[in-house]
Amino acid sequence: MLRQFKELFRKELKILLRDRQTILLLFFMPAALIFFLSLAVGGMQADVLIGRKIQTVVENQAQSPKANLLEKKIKSHKLIERKVRPAGMDNDRLFESSKVQAVVVIPRGFDEGDSPVEVYFDPVIDAGYKAAVLSMLTSLTVEVVMGIDNLDAVVANMIVEKTKPNREFPNPLEQTVPGFAIFAMFFIAIPMSIIFLKEKRDGTLPRLFTYPVNANLVTLAKLAPYYIINIFQFILMLLIGVYIMPYFINFSLQWGEHPWHLLPITLIVAAATTGFGVLVASLARTPEQSSTLAALGAVLMGAFGGIMVPYFFMPLVMKKLAMLSPVYWAHQAYLDVFLRGAAFSVILPKLAVLTGFAIICFYLAGRKVKWM
Amino acid sequence: MKALEISSVTFSYDKPAGKNKAAGQNYALRDFSMEVKSGQFHALLGPNGAGKTTLMRLITAQLKEYRGEIFIFGRNNFDKRALHDIGYAPQPVSVYTTLTARENLRLFGVMAGLTDEEITRRLAEVLEETGLAAYAGKPASVYSGGMLRRLNLAIALLHSPQLLLLDEPTVGVDPQSRNHIYETLMKINAAGTSIVLCTHIMEEAQRLCSTVTLLDRGVTVFSGKMSEIENLEKFFLEKTGRGLRDD
């Protein structure tokens, strides 16, 4: 029995790994998605201001002592990268060129308090950038007008931030690494169902049953390689997120307070994704049908489950609907580890949902599957 | 000793309807009986849809819900040990094309319960017998139609079965490969292996087989010695009619 299992397992693994398209689908697709979408999502979040500069044109029309001091302070601020307005170009053209995001004008009469500082923003600028620039200008203007040397230092003695670390709003890597790892794990249903249906169609699977082999053994040997590959997919994506992505993006993926919780989560997520694959294989009649069904299922579950559009961006109705997707529960379980440092008792209900999903898939597939 | 004994087998692909399970059903085989003695080379002939492939699938226990009994060397075919005695080459080339011939043979050798030493020895023998030795390390996806047919046969031969079931083993192959297959089969039969051959090539059946069963619409229309038949093709058409079988 063990020899037969080993040989069937080896056969399945060889068929799977000799298909270059499958390798691309299972390993390169999620790696590429993690890389590009982490960069994209990073740009959407206000946290990205750290270490980034805003291209700004500063025009001092007053040329008075206070105006000159304000101009000097703005130019030397860490948030600002000073740009010069090309001759004859108005603000609209400047913003269209995408080389400038803000224009600050210190008008005549500033010293006398007759004219306020004017700020123009690129209409498409992120609200986070806008708030940061306005806050910076307010501080610097107050410093100049009130004659304070460093307002931030003064305020620092009066206001101390006591906020706990954010536990609900994942950074781009916390969002995309587990998200697209889960997404890719669900894509295992494509090669799994295609190989199963091809074996049925070309007669190799029925031929196996003309030998004294146990059907349960064949089932187990067919599932095990996909289950193991699922686990490898997650490990690889995790390593990319922890060790490679920080070189390209100003965020990091931390192992969390209880990294060992990743083990039961990954084992159960892999069971759910393998179950989904078996269900697709049992429902489809042709390899073409199975690939469509598996891809559609994975994409829909991913979209509903908060992978494509982060869960915290979703409206309330969508947040409720997300709970129908196993991807949501899997993603939230991983966020419990990476973001929230949650106790295992908090993760357990999510794992129960995923286990339930896996059991339902295996049960339905078991009733539906036709070996011959 | 009977290599194969089939007694009153009835089988339908239709699902039983209501309480009367026999009513309104299309039978693939109806009260079919056949015997193959040990060492015989037996032809199983019939037009398309006669029930030949169904019979092969019943013998190899791929289809299980039938009436009647099937014995292989005295053992009921549901007995797993009976399957050890059968070598089956199905009509579609049923090999893993991603795997090499050697990997295919090893896989099915392990399924048949051969030890590693037996696999190593038999693998070399069957590759030689089927003329595939030079290509054993190449994936089957690059094989020609004839090579695939020979690999299909090699898998069936690997565990040295006592009863070989061949479902149209020479379909779509060139005369060279066909002749090679014939010679291999004659050699195996001469060594004592019983063979049941399903084929539409009448010369093939007449050249190789000593006994014949003619099957049509699930029932036996003739069973006897090949030597009693002068022209098999003429005899076949007389017994089964000249009308096309497209249904």
Side-chain angles (χ1 to χ4, degrees):
Chain A
M1 282 265 279
L2 187 66
R3 264 185 90 223
Q4 286 186 330
F5 174 81
K6 275 166 66 180
E7 200 59 35
L8 287 166
F9 177 88
R10 200 181 295 169
K11 177 265 293 180
E12 203 70 28
L13 209 57
K14 280 177 186 167
I15 293 174
L16 186 67
L17 297 179
R18 284 179 188 174
D19 184 353
R20 284 181 195 166
Q21 282 183 325
T22 300
I23 301 300
L24 281 173
L25 181 78
L26 298 182
F27 293 101
F28 287 93
M29 180 199 73
L33 284 172
I34 284 171
F35 183 79
F36 292 111
L37 288 168
S38 295
L39 295 178
V41 175
M44 287 161 61
Q45 295 193 8
D47 304 47
V48 84
L49 289 172
I50 302 158
R52 290 275 293 270
K53 288 180 181 288
I54 297 167
Q55 287 84 14
T56 309
V57 170
V58 183
E59 291 176 337
N60 183 358
Q61 294 171 351
Q63 295 296 332
S64 55
K66 281 185 181 175
N68 291 345
L69 180 61
L70 180 58
E71 183 189 4
K72 191 181 160 195
K73 278 179 179 272
I74 294 171
K75 280 186 202 167
S76 59
H77 196 276
K78 61 183 179 183
L79 194 60
I80 299 298
E81 180 186 341
R82 199 191 175 188
K83 292 281 176 187
V84 178
R85 183 195 296 271
M89 198 179 261
D90 63 16
N91 285 353
D92 290 343
R93 301 289 89 71
L94 260 182
F95 296 141
E96 277 171 18
S97 72
S98 301
K99 288 176 181 161
V100 171
Q101 279 101 48
V103 174
V104 178
V105 179
I106 308 169
R108 284 190 188 86
F110 170 73
D111 279 26
E112 293 78 27
D114 295 338
S115 306
V117 174
E118 295 166 12
V119 194
Y120 303 87
F121 286 107
D122 182 343
V124 297
I125 195 170
D126 182 86
Y129 287 116
K130 204 169 168 178
V133 172
L134 284 172
S135 167
M136 177 268 295
L137 281 175
T138 307
S139 299
L140 298 183
T141 309
V142 168
E143 280 176 19
V144 170
V145 173
M146 306 288 286
I148 303 166
D149 190 34
N150 186 342
L151 186 64
D152 284 347
V154 175
V155 172
N157 291 327
M158 299 173 191
I159 305 168
V160 179
E161 187 179 344
K162 293 283 188 183
T163 317
K164 285 183 179 172
N166 187 311
R167 301 261 165 141
E168 290 304 321
F169 194 77
N171 75 34
L173 287 182
E174 288 162 347
Q175 166 68 22
T176 56
V177 171
F180 284 104
I182 298 163
F183 188 59
M185 285 163 86
F186 271 93
F187 264 79
I188 199 93
I190 295 179
M192 193 175 179
S193 53
I194 287 178
I195 290 172
F196 175 76
L197 289 162
K198 272 171 85 175
E199 277 187 73
K200 247 172 88 171
R201 194 167 63 177
D202 66 22
T204 43
L205 195 57
R207 189 172 197 172
L208 279 178
F209 288 107
T210 67
Y211 290 84
V213 289
N214 185 301
N216 293 331
L217 188 81
V218 175
T219 310
L220 196 64
K222 284 193 82 59
L223 295 183
Y226 299 99
Y227 186 78
I228 291 168
I229 281 178
N230 260 183
I231 293 167
F232 272 108
Q233 276 180 296
F234 184 78
I235 292 171
L236 182 69
M237 298 313 134
L238 186 62
L239 294 177
I240 289 173
V242 172
Y243 296 111
I244 297 176
M245 285 310 292
Y247 288 106
F248 300 96
I249 188 169
N250 289 317
F251 295 98
S252 62
L253 180 67
Q254 302 299 327
W255 291 96
E257 287 172 42
H258 311 293
W260 55 89
H261 289 169
L262 291 172
L263 182 67
I265 296 173
T266 306
L267 292 180
I268 289 172
V269 172
T273 55
T274 315
F276 174 65
V278 177
L279 184 61
V280 170
S282 68
L283 291 177
R285 289 185 180 173
T286 62
E288 294 76 18
Q289 251 184 24
S290 75
S291 57
T292 308
L293 200 61
L296 192 68
V299 170
L300 281 180
M301 283 192 289
F304 270 101
I307 303 294
M308 318 278 183
V309 179
Y311 179 73
F312 48 84
F313 284 156
M314 287 180 174
L316 193 62
V317 179
M318 285 301 291
K319 280 185 175 171
K320 295 282 179 198
L321 280 175
M323 291 182 180
L324 294 173
S325 167
V327 169
Y328 163 79
W329 296 100
H331 196 208
Q332 291 302 314
Y334 281 121
L335 289 181
D336 280 345
V337 177
F338 293 125
L339 187 63
R340 302 178 191 119
F344 193 65
S345 58
V346 174
I347 301 169
L348 210 52
K350 291 157 189 141
L351 298 188
V353 173
L354 290 166
T355 307
F357 175 79
I359 290 170
I360 290 169
C361 286
F362 282 118
Y363 174 74
L364 292 177
R367 287 183 65 99
K368 195 87 184 140
V369 74
K370 288 190 179 93
W371 291 104
M372 306 294 173
Chain B
M1 181 74 173
K2 288 169 190 165
L4 175 66
E5 187 179 4
I6 300 168
S7 308
S8 306
V9 165
T10 299
F11 175 81
S12 172
Y13 285 102
D14 294 343
K15 284 183 181 172
K19 287 180 183 173
N20 188 357
K21 292 186 177 183
Q25 290 199 325
N26 294 312
Y27 291 99
L29 286 167
R30 189 163 201 168
D31 205 20
F32 178 83
S33 298
M34 185 177 110
E35 274 183 21
V36 177
K37 290 199 178 98
S38 181
Q40 258 180 358
F41 204 140
H42 189 91
L44 181 63
L45 308 178
N48 288 335
K52 304 184 298 294
T53 299
T54 301
L55 186 61
M56 291 285 190
R57 295 173 73 190
L58 289 173
I59 297 168
T60 52
Q62 294 177 62
L63 299 171
K64 294 185 197 301
E65 291 173 7
Y66 61 88
R67 273 207 312 264
E69 284 186 306
I70 299 173
F71 293 96
I72 294 135
F73 290 101
R75 281 200 187 105
N76 191 293
N77 70 332
F78 288 148
D79 185 337
K80 292 269 181 201
R81 287 172 298 177
L83 295 177
H84 277 292
D85 293 331
I86 301 175
Y88 173 49
Q91 186 185 339
V93 174
S94 303
V95 304
Y96 290 98
T97 50
T98 318
L99 307 183
T100 65
R102 195 172 277 124
E103 287 167 340
N104 267 289
L105 288 164
R106 183 177 161 76
L107 168 70
F108 285 103
V110 172
M111 293 307 111
L114 298 185
T115 63
D116 285 342
E117 292 75 31
E118 285 170 332
I119 289 172
T120 308
R121 180 176 55 79
R122 283 295 296 151
L123 201 140
E125 286 171 6
V126 294
L127 284 172
E128 202 59 50
E129 273 172 1
T130 52
L132 290 170
Y135 309 95
K138 293 200 165 130
S141 56
V142 302
Y143 287 11
S144 68
M147 289 164 77
L148 284 169
R149 276 276 160 217
R150 282 183 273 141
L151 177 58
N152 202 36
L153 177 63
I155 291 169
L157 298 176
L158 185 75
H159 61 290
S160 310
Q162 294 185 68
L163 173 64
L164 198 54
L165 303 174
L166 308 172
D167 197 351
E168 302 192 37
T170 58
V171 164
V173 303
D174 59 23
Q176 285 80 4
S177 274
R178 198 184 309 145
N179 193 57
H180 193 281
I181 291 172
Y182 291 165
E183 284 175 2
T184 307
L185 294 179
M186 285 193 287
K187 208 187 301 174
I188 289 162
N189 181 240
T193 305
S194 316
I195 301 177
V196 176
L197 172 71
C198 275
T199 182
H200 285 298
I201 306 170
M202 296 298 134
E203 311 95 80
E204 182 174 290
Q206 201 145 27
R207 176 178 162 186
L208 299 172
C209 302
S210 56
T211 51
V212 58
T213 295
L214 191 50
L215 178 68
D216 194 16
R217 299 186 199 279
V219 296
T220 311
V221 292
F222 175 80
S223 190
K225 289 183 180 169
M226 192 65 88
S227 56
E228 293 169 8
I229 303 163
E230 196 178 326
N231 182 330
L232 185 59
E233 180 135 359
K234 197 175 156 198
F235 181 77
F236 182 92
L237 290 171
E238 276 170 13
K239 291 286 181 187
T240 59
R242 290 179 179 271
L244 294 173
R245 298 301 178 86
D246 296 332
D247 52 337

